[in-house]
Amino acid sequence: MIKTCALFSGSSGNSIFVSSRCKNETIFSKVNSGSLGKGTGILVDSGMSGRQMQSAMNDIGETLENICGLLITHEHIDHMRGVGVLARRYKIPVYVNMMTWEKMKKMQIGAIPENLLNIIDNSRDFAIGDFLIKSIKTPHDAADSHGYRLTTGRETVTVLTDIGHIDEEILKSAKGSDAIYIESNYDKKML
């Protein structure tokens, strides 16, 4: 069973928590057996400070110590403010595409240990614990903005942030999701 919660949403900070609570074998268990049965906790973005992130996790009965991966959608500070501190303090692996990472390196988010940095190829699905993850290209004024579809094989959560419109590819990627987070406060014309 998936547990999910929007911890923060808005221009001051964004973060979505998604966790599997799989007690039975998942379709990925042969490859990713490390957290099977305990569940796999993932954060999509970390746009608040480490202290605020821990407080929000405590509010929902979770802890940052149980997070297995941090997915970054794009390089705007309201989506990545806490990335550096979470990676260092809690040893959370960070997953980001190369173009976004190149922009992030120029910003003041603090160092991310090399052994925790995972550069993802947007064209390939990848796994973190119980989840298979697909990147979804999103229309936004960022280097290479992407949302994510996270599935256990039984349940799916799709996270799409800062989108101004939905196209056929986004619809196709989100179809069949059990939960969809959409943040649609981006308008190219207004910029």
Side-chain angles (χ1 to χ4, degrees):
M1 176 177 206
I2 288 180
K3 176 180 181 179
T4 185
C5 181
L7 301 175
F8 299 99
S9 180
S11 57
S12 61
N14 296 272
S15 187
I16 306 289
F17 169 76
V18 182
S19 176
S20 67
R21 292 290 183 236
C22 300
K23 292 191 170 56
N24 301 319
E25 184 173 341
T26 69
I27 61 173
F28 312 110
S29 63
K30 290 179 177 64
V31 177
N32 304 290
S33 59
S35 61
L36 187 60
K38 301 177 208 169
T40 299
I42 293 178
L43 289 175
V44 179
D45 291 332
S46 177
M48 301 299 271
S49 71
R51 182 173 289 136
Q52 290 168 307
M53 292 296 299
Q54 184 62 62
S55 178
M57 292 290 286
N58 290 342
D59 288 347
I60 63 168
E62 297 289 342
T63 178
L64 289 168
E65 286 85 355
N66 294 331
I67 297 298
C68 300
L70 174 52
L71 304 172
I72 306 301
T73 59
H74 63 285
E75 76 276 3
H76 292 163
I77 198 69
D78 61 320
H79 291 263
M80 56 166 216
R81 181 176 289 115
V83 172
V85 70
L86 294 187
R88 290 186 309 276
R89 184 176 298 156
Y90 299 99
K91 310 291 186 255
I92 299 172
V94 175
Y95 296 82
V96 60
N97 67 54
M98 182 55 83
M99 288 176 67
T100 300
W101 174 240
E102 289 299 325
K103 293 286 187 176
M104 286 174 65
K105 288 191 302 187
K106 298 173 185 171
M107 303 178 84
Q108 295 180 359
I109 59 167
I112 296 175
E114 246 182 72
N115 66 319
L116 296 175
L117 180 63
N118 298 276
I119 302 298
I120 60 174
D121 177 347
N122 294 325
S123 67
R124 298 184 142 183
D125 295 353
F126 60 99
I128 300 174
D130 296 329
F131 287 102
L132 182 64
I133 301 164
K134 171 187 175 68
S135 294
I136 305 165
K137 180 77 174 156
T138 55
H140 192 40
D141 65 333
D144 196 13
S145 183
H146 278 75
Y148 296 100
R149 178 182 173 97
L150 300 89
T151 184
T152 62
R154 291 185 183 89
E155 296 174 299
T156 301
V157 173
T158 300
V159 179
L160 304 162
T161 63
D162 287 359
I163 59 174
H165 67 277
I166 295 190
D167 60 26
E168 287 301 317
E169 191 58 36
I170 290 173
L171 280 174
K172 182 179 163 187
S173 296
K175 185 177 181 178
S177 296
D178 295 289
I180 301 173
Y181 291 95
I182 299 174
E183 183 191 36
S184 56
N185 62 355
Y186 167 69
D187 186 342
K188 185 176 183 178
K189 292 177 185 173
M190 289 178 71
L191 290 177

